């Protein structure tokens, strides 16, 4: 990656959970890797009344807590921290934006990345206030964190209001899953090899399963989660993006719009789940008190900011179907949840069984199907499972596994997804960001009707 010398990143929600746990550590890692020059500045913005020094102490503590020990270097930290400023701004107070103007004075020629890591309900007001304060320059970009609204109407409204101030080329809608190495590798796997393409379709694939299991609970984000739930927090964004990469047709080039056009076609081809299908094709659940590594942890209803009778789901599983010639009849099973037994994210592509059994000692139903498993977390890699003759005088087929592990081949680099995307946002590469029409196509046309909310535990 080339070094970028001069830019200003204005981080709204600078004291929030995401900024402290992921965004600032990712920026520090870019700095430590020599990809960010001394002309770069990070200006954190939030409502909290703290000094720049107090903010620097806060981010140092969170970087030390969230990076592996070998990922933190005190000398590099000092040079990174020197580029970090803090400005107290209430995003709903237009007058407060003057303080931000002052902090940015004389830097009109630098790339300006305005990162909105706040509730989506604030996006419109922040953009309006930025424009009114004259902060939006031709070299400005706005990065919008997910979720973009909470239904199609609110997503359209955000797109319209942000689009009134920034051109589409200036808007970066982020989904950090797309920055993960193994997720990007899916594109290399599909389109950099000829081996898989003939198999990548109905007729060959029986089903696809995508699992994002988390051991964490809502981690102090109860208030946010109450409005969001697993479906909006994870399925509408991360899981659908994975479906797009798995199911899209080969793009005609790696031009950002060529790739995004193909993903959009997948989103548009997803069959809506409505009416009685909600009961038969989806499952929702909510975690109860339990234990993680022997330590007791509260149930969802006991988390701060959660209503005592909340029916918000922390687990969701569903059967998605894509109405295209390539995928008709191939179910995509998606599931995600918090406080599950272990952290485990993977995509399993299950192929059809052999149509006929040749081996006398192997009954038909004991023949296992081939599987291609893409491991995303905590291990990163790909395994292929196929039948092989078990040693012995008779021909008996058993399942064996061929493994590729990222770390063994390429060594380990801390990567949450944000490291790549922050860099792309700064250098202006929109390929891994969502376009307005993609976000809208990811929401159902109208609220799902006909299904009473049900609580499964
Ligand atoms: C975020 C969700 O987008 O992704 C969180 O808001 C979730 O609820 C997180 O924990 C999971 O990301 P990762 O990279 O840790 O799998």
């Amino acid at each position: 990656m080339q070094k970028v010398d001069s830019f200003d990143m204005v981080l709204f929600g600078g004291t929030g959970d995401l900024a402290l746990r992921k965004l600032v550590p990712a920026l520090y890692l870019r700095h430590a890797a020599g990809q960010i020059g001394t002309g770069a500045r990070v200006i954190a913005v939030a409502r909290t009344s703290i000094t720049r020094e107090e903010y620097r102490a806060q981010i140092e503590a969170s970087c030390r807590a969230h990076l592996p020990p070998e990922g933190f270097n005190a000398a590099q930290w000092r040079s990174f921290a020197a580029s970090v400023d803090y400005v107290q701004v209430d995003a709903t107070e237009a007058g407060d934006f003057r303080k931000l103007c002052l902090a940015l004075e004389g830097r009109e020629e630098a790339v300006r990345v305005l990162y909105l890591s706040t509730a989506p309900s604030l996006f419109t007001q922040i953009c309006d206030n930025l424009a009114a304060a004259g902060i939006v320059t031709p070299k400005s970009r706005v990065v919008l964190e997910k979720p973009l609204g909470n239904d199609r109407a609110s997503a359209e409204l955000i797109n319209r209001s942000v689009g009134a101030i920034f051109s589409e080329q200036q808007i970066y809608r982020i989904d950090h899953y797309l920055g993960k190495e193994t997720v990007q590798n899916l594109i290399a796997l599909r389109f950099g090899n000829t081996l898989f393409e003939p198999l990548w379709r109905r007729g060959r694939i029986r089903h696809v399963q995508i699992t994002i299991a988390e051991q964490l609970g809502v981690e102090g984000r109860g208030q946010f989660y109450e409005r969001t739930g697993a479906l909006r927090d994870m399925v509408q964004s991360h899981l659908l993006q994975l479906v797009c990469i798995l199911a899209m047709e080969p793009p005609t080039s790696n031009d950002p719009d060529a790739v995004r056009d193909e993903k959009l076609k997948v989103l548009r081809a997803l069959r809506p789940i409505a009416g009685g299908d909600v009961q038969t094709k989806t499952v929702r659940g909510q975690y109860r008190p339990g234990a993680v590594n022997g330590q007791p942890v509260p149930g969802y209803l006991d988390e701060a900011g959660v209503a005592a009778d909340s029916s918000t789901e922390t687990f969701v599983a569903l059967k998605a179907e894509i109405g295209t010639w390539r995928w008709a009849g191939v179910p995509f099973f998606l599931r995600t949840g918090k406080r599950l037994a272990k952290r485990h994210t993977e995509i399993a592509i299950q192929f059809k069984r052999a149509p006929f059994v040749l081996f006398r000692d192997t009954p038909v139903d004991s023949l296992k199907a081939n599987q291609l498993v893409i491991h995303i977390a905590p291990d990163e890699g790909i395994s292929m499972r196929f039948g092989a003759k078990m040693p012995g005088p008779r021909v008996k087929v058993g399942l064996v596994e061929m493994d590729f592990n990222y770390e063994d081949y390429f060594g380990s680099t801390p990567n949450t997804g944000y490291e790549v995307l922050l860099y792309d946002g700064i250098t202006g590469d929109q390929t891994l960001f969502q376009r307005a029409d993609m976000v809208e196509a990811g929401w159902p046309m109208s609220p799902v009707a006909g299904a009473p909310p049900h609580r499964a535990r």
Side-chain angles (χ1 to χ4, degrees):
M1 278 186 185
Q2 273 192 333
K3 185 170 180 172
V4 272
D5 251 327
S6 178
F7 65 86
D8 287 334
M9 175 163 295
V10 181
L11 199 51
F12 284 86
T15 53
D17 175 72
L18 181 70
L20 296 179
R21 272 197 314 134
K22 298 208 169 160
L23 302 179
V24 175
L27 283 167
Y28 162 70
L29 287 175
R30 290 278 88 129
H31 175 91
Q35 287 146 2
I36 292 182
T38 45
R41 297 189 322 163
V42 178
I43 301 169
V45 171
R47 237 179 356 186
T48 324
S49 167
I50 45 171
T51 62
R52 176 198 305 167
E53 276 58 44
E54 284 166 336
Y55 185 69
R56 287 179 182 170
Q58 201 174 345
I59 55 176
E60 178 173 351
S62 79
C63 279
R64 283 182 186 272
H66 292 111
L67 289 171
E70 67 281 7
F72 190 88
N73 172 294
Q76 274 166 345
W77 175 260
R78 278 194 295 280
S79 84
F80 170 72
S83 68
V84 178
D85 199 355
Y86 179 82
V87 181
Q88 186 205 352
V89 171
D90 178 341
T92 62
E93 286 295 330
D96 273 11
F97 283 68
R98 278 199 295 274
K99 295 189 239 169
L100 194 52
C101 273
L102 286 178
L104 291 163
E105 212 169 16
R107 304 267 300 174
E108 291 70 22
E109 289 313 309
V111 165
R112 195 169 275 183
V113 182
L114 305 160
Y115 197 123
L116 311 195
S117 167
T118 64
S121 52
L122 288 173
F123 289 171
T124 302
Q125 206 167 9
I126 295 178
C127 290
D128 287 347
N129 287 338
L130 285 168
I135 292 173
V136 181
T137 58
K139 285 198 175 165
S140 290
R141 287 162 204 160
V142 65
V143 181
L144 305 178
E145 246 314 321
K146 60 156 272 283
L148 271 117
N150 54 10
D151 56 16
R152 184 180 280 226
S154 53
E156 283 172 352
L157 198 65
I158 290 172
N159 281 338
R160 264 203 311 278
S161 54
V162 176
I165 289 162
F166 296 91
S167 70
E168 186 59 31
Q169 285 64 41
Q170 291 177 296
I171 305 175
Y172 290 65
R173 299 173 190 81
I174 200 165
D175 183 315
H176 77 279
Y177 263 65
L178 297 183
K180 289 182 187 281
E181 286 293 345
T182 22
V183 174
Q184 290 183 68
N185 188 46
L186 265 177
I187 300 189
L189 179 83
R190 285 200 58 199
F191 305 124
N193 297 291
T194 52
L195 184 63
F196 303 107
E197 170 53 22
L199 308 177
W200 215 260
R201 60 194 65 245
R202 68 193 295 268
R204 296 295 183 180
I205 292 180
R206 189 183 165 103
H207 62 247
V208 176
Q209 295 185 34
I210 313 181
T211 307
I212 306 182
E214 296 186 86
Q215 203 177 41
L216 294 177
V218 291
E219 308 303 304
R221 295 192 306 155
Q223 229 179 350
F224 158 81
Y225 208 80
E226 276 287 88
R227 296 189 306 268
T228 315
L231 194 65
R232 289 185 171 86
D233 187 36
M234 300 296 286
V235 178
Q236 200 278 335
S237 47
H238 307 323
L239 280 157
L240 285 191
Q241 284 302 310
L242 294 178
V243 170
C244 284
I245 300 179
L246 286 167
M248 72 182 182
E249 294 300 318
T252 49
S253 73
N254 65 358
D255 172 76
D257 275 328
V259 177
R260 299 190 296 179
D261 285 346
E262 294 308 330
K263 290 186 181 172
L264 178 63
K265 288 181 200 161
V266 175
L267 290 170
R268 290 196 169 144
L270 279 169
R271 316 309 298 163
I273 301 179
D277 281 354
V278 176
Q279 299 289 343
T280 56
K281 294 188 178 169
T282 70
V283 178
R284 300 164 70 221
Q286 197 180 66
Y287 63 81
R288 286 181 154 185
V292 170
N293 302 330
Q295 296 301 312
V297 288
Y300 179 68
L301 296 182
D302 304 318
E303 300 277 14
V306 171
D309 61 348
S310 171
S311 64
T312 299
E313 78 287 354
T314 63
F315 174 90
V316 64
L318 59 90
K319 179 177 171 185
E321 287 159 291
I322 302 171
T324 61
W325 275 49
R326 189 188 280 266
W327 295 115
V330 180
F332 281 65
F333 295 106
L334 315 183
R335 57 177 168 239
T336 183
K338 293 201 179 284
R339 284 275 187 252
L340 296 178
K342 58 179 182 180
R343 176 165 187 240
H344 185 77
T345 301
E346 70 165 38
I347 300 168
I349 294 156
Q350 174 110 355
F351 292 90
K352 294 208 161 161
R353 281 207 197 131
F356 167 77
V357 180
L358 199 59
F359 323 109
R360 246 174 303 142
D361 292 322
T362 305
V364 189
D365 50 7
S366 76
L367 257 195
K368 297 279 189 321
N370 296 143
Q371 261 193 348
L372 182 71
V373 183
I374 296 137
H375 308 277
I376 298 176
D379 303 321
E380 298 186 313
I382 298 176
S383 329
M384 195 134 79
R385 296 180 187 149
F386 54 94
K389 181 189 169 299
M390 295 164 75
R394 301 242 169 96
V395 180
K396 246 185 150 179
V397 178
L399 207 63
V400 296
E401 195 163 295
M402 208 156 71
D403 259 339
F404 150 66
N405 180 293
Y406 244 83
E407 195 176 335
D408 294 348
Y409 269 77
F410 302 116
S412 79
T413 42
N415 170 25
T416 57
Y418 280 104
E419 295 77 6
V420 169
L421 296 176
L422 284 169
Y423 184 85
D424 286 357
I426 294 163
T427 54
D429 183 344
Q430 286 191 304
T431 314
L432 298 175
F433 293 84
Q434 297 204 67
R435 227 169 35 193
D437 48 6
M438 293 170 70
V439 169
E440 290 168 19
W443 292 107
M445 289 300 285
S446 53
V448 173
H454 60 288
R455 184 188 280 184
R457 286 188 162 212

